[in-house]
Amino acid sequence: MNTVTRPRILVVGAGFAGVECVRRLERKLSPAEADVTLVTPNSYQLYLPLLPQVASGVLTPQSIALSLRRSKKYRTRIIPGGAIGVDLKAKVCVVRTITDKIVNERYDYIVLAPGSVTRTFDIPGLTEHAFGMKTLAEAAYIRDHVITQLDLADASDDPAERAARLQFVVVGGGYAGTETAACLQRLTHAAVQRYPRLDPGLIRWHLIDIAPKLMPELGEKLGRSAQEILGRRGIEVSLGVSIEKAGAEEVTFTDGRVVPTHTLIWTAGVVASPLMATLGAETVRGRLAVTPEMCLPGYDGVFALGDSAAVPDLAKGDGAVCPPTAQHAMRQGKRVAENVIATLRGQPMQPYAHRDLGLVVDLGGKDAVSKPLGIELRGVPAQAVARGYHWSALRTNVAKARVMTNWMLNAVAGDDFVRTGFQARKPARLKDFEFTDAYLTPEQVRAQAEGKALDSP
């Protein structure tokens, strides 16, 4: 009996790019045309731009974790794990499941959207003592940790320990770092009112970045406005400065300052997922080099997009590539899905081109700076634009309802300072949340694809 095998489409990653691709494939393809499989450790899409508000407690974690299983029409098969290698010639993706089982997933078409990981440098003590701000677990953990520092400082009779626990250092003057410092500073400023034994003047926040300007993408005026807002709140902004070394109870800056602290939050940029290095293909600063149609040259049925792909920015030209932002990832996901469908049906593919809609930075409360369509806004109008953009970008009505309810409740009732229990006796740091050492070498990928014994990476 002859059997007809449907084409297998494998999507790696459930970020903005991967989820938009899967959604478009499900809407445009009939069940008989192809089988769609998604590889992701978590069966939800994380709305990353609102992560600082989870860390500060303004939003609950589940409000920005958009379930991939809510729709009754959802037919995509989900493999709970992470891709740790791809053999492009054998058309095999090697997956490590959440139970540490290694499996081979074969495909006819693959869409690589594994996203990015926190960029770190060879700084002594960094990965052992710093917190990241890239996952939902990290945001929830940081909130517990910050409140724990207030509790421990309040209970301590040692002035040196108390001062160290009330100093907080955030590295990274981009959107993530600036919003994280701003939101968490508001949390500690409100919380300290409930600690009569603590002097509010002892709480000090440091925001440092090696760059000469804060959020240079916003332009000179808005960047300066954001810095002035942070300064009025008591956040000490140091530019042209980074970390020389990090310890359990102090951090040394490159300008020689030694800051006693138990809290170092590292948000100094991102790099493409290490998965890209397993392909043996050309990369641009770690991002896979692709065509404007987001295809990998020389390989049929291989597409890449989002933070891990160097997608040419046709709107800017001059060899520019699209920045790793949510708005590009979402729109690239839709275009890749259409190009996969066009390939299946023997139709021509279309290049990706999109003009930037602008930038929004929510600094908490009534403070914000925004630049929608090139228009510079500050204060309440900027806050309305920032929150309006994020709210409208949420994929489901349930998520929109949760986020709006959280915002309204926080505006009326204020912050709460409950620790949820993440702060264990053995603290977790950046190296414990991002498993960047789990990926295979190209040789190990080839051996696994051929069914040979594989040593643990």
Side-chain angles (χ1 to χ4, degrees):
M1 182 176 65
N2 294 326
T3 59
V4 178
T5 302
R6 290 187 294 268
R8 297 163 296 186
I9 302 173
L10 182 65
V11 180
V12 176
F16 290 104
V19 170
E20 287 298 326
C21 177
V22 168
R23 293 182 69 213
R24 183 60 62 97
L25 288 173
E26 287 195 323
R27 283 199 296 267
K28 294 293 187 72
L29 285 175
S30 68
E33 282 188 275
D35 291 328
V36 182
T37 301
L38 176 64
V39 177
T40 174
N42 306 300
S43 58
Y44 62 78
Q45 176 196 357
L46 177 63
Y47 191 81
L48 202 62
L50 291 177
L51 210 54
Q53 294 192 36
V54 171
S56 64
V58 173
L59 298 177
T60 58
Q62 65 267 32
S63 62
I64 67 167
L66 286 65
S67 173
L68 300 178
R69 299 187 184 276
R70 285 198 65 87
S71 173
K72 295 180 180 178
K73 297 180 180 179
Y74 197 85
R75 68 174 189 270
T76 296
R77 169 181 169 235
I78 297 178
I79 300 178
I84 57 175
V86 179
D87 188 327
L88 297 176
K89 293 182 179 179
K91 291 197 170 185
V92 172
C93 179
V94 183
V95 179
R96 183 186 295 275
T97 70
I98 56 176
T99 57
D100 277 339
K101 181 181 178 181
I102 296 179
V103 298
N104 289 351
E105 188 65 25
R106 300 191 177 276
Y107 63 85
D108 297 299
Y109 301 89
I110 188 169
V111 177
L112 297 168
S116 56
V117 297
T118 301
R119 179 181 62 181
T120 58
F121 300 98
D122 190 18
I123 299 174
L126 177 62
T127 57
E128 292 82 10
H129 300 292
F131 299 102
M133 194 61 170
K134 198 77 173 61
T135 67
L136 195 61
E138 284 175 313
Y141 189 92
I142 286 174
R143 171 176 165 78
D144 263 21
H145 171 82
V146 168
I147 297 174
T148 296
Q149 300 316 299
L150 297 178
D151 288 340
L152 292 173
D154 183 65
S156 176
D157 292 322
D158 182 353
E161 180 189 2
R162 180 175 291 190
R165 292 197 180 278
L166 296 180
Q167 288 210 78
F168 306 89
V169 178
V170 179
V171 183
Y175 305 110
T178 302
E179 291 187 340
T180 297
C183 290
L184 286 174
Q185 186 275 337
R186 280 181 56 87
L187 172 67
T188 55
H189 178 75
V192 77
Q193 311 300 323
R194 313 296 176 91
Y195 295 83
R197 297 181 70 246
L198 293 182
D199 177 6
L202 289 177
I203 297 180
R204 298 183 61 189
W205 280 86
H206 303 265
L207 175 61
I208 70 172
D209 196 296
I210 196 65
K213 297 180 181 178
L214 193 69
M215 295 182 294
E217 299 89 344
L218 282 174
E220 183 74 30
K221 292 182 180 179
L222 284 184
R224 188 166 57 247
S225 295
Q227 190 168 342
E228 290 171 356
I229 291 171
L230 298 179
R232 286 198 301 269
R233 291 198 195 167
I235 300 176
E236 184 178 333
V237 179
S238 300
L239 300 175
V241 178
S242 189
I243 296 296
E244 183 175 300
K245 62 180 180 179
E249 298 182 1
E250 67 178 28
V251 173
T252 302
F253 293 175
T254 52
D255 62 3
R257 283 180 291 167
V258 178
V259 177
T261 180
H262 293 259
T263 307
L264 170 61
I265 302 174
W266 181 267
T267 64
V270 296
V271 293
S273 167
L275 178 66
M276 298 297 104
T278 73
L279 274 62
E282 181 185 354
T283 59
V284 179
R285 295 183 179 180
R287 302 170 73 181
L288 198 64
V290 296
T291 67
E293 293 78 17
M294 291 169 283
C295 297
L296 182 61
Y299 295 92
D300 293 332
V302 180
F303 300 82
L305 67 163
D307 292 5
S308 286
V311 180
D313 193 340
L314 300 183
K316 290 184 178 179
D318 296 327
V321 297
C322 296
T325 62
Q327 61 175 285
H328 276 295
M330 293 169 70
R331 289 160 177 80
Q332 287 172 7
K334 295 176 181 178
R335 175 58 66 193
V336 158
E338 291 167 356
N339 284 343
V340 170
I341 294 170
T343 304
L344 274 170
R345 297 173 179 173
Q347 300 170 348
M349 295 185 292
Q350 298 297 321
Y352 171 76
H354 168 68
R355 291 192 178 277
D356 205 307
L357 298 179
L359 305 166
V360 295
V361 182
D362 189 338
L363 300 175
K366 298 179 180 178
D367 294 324
V369 288
S370 301
K371 197 175 182 180
L373 302 176
I375 303 171
E376 296 186 350
L377 300 174
R378 301 168 179 79
V380 175
Q383 182 66 279
V385 169
R387 294 203 169 182
Y389 172 79
H390 290 315
W391 186 82
S392 63
L394 291 167
R395 187 170 49 82
T396 67
N397 290 329
V398 172
K400 291 180 179 181
R402 283 176 174 163
V403 167
M404 183 60 71
T405 301
N406 286 172
W407 280 339
M408 293 174 63
L409 183 61
N410 182 260
V412 174
D415 298 296
D416 69 80
F417 316 108
V418 175
R419 285 191 284 121
T420 54
F422 283 105
Q423 185 64 28
R425 290 177 180 268
K426 182 182 178 181
R429 294 293 190 268
L430 190 148
K431 67 182 180 66
D432 300 307
F433 286 104
E434 297 190 39
F435 304 100
T436 54
D437 58 348
Y439 294 87
L440 305 179
T441 64
E443 293 75 21
Q444 288 175 319
V445 173
R446 195 172 305 112
Q448 174 66 20
E450 293 173 356
K452 297 179 181 178
L454 181 66
D455 294 330
S456 297

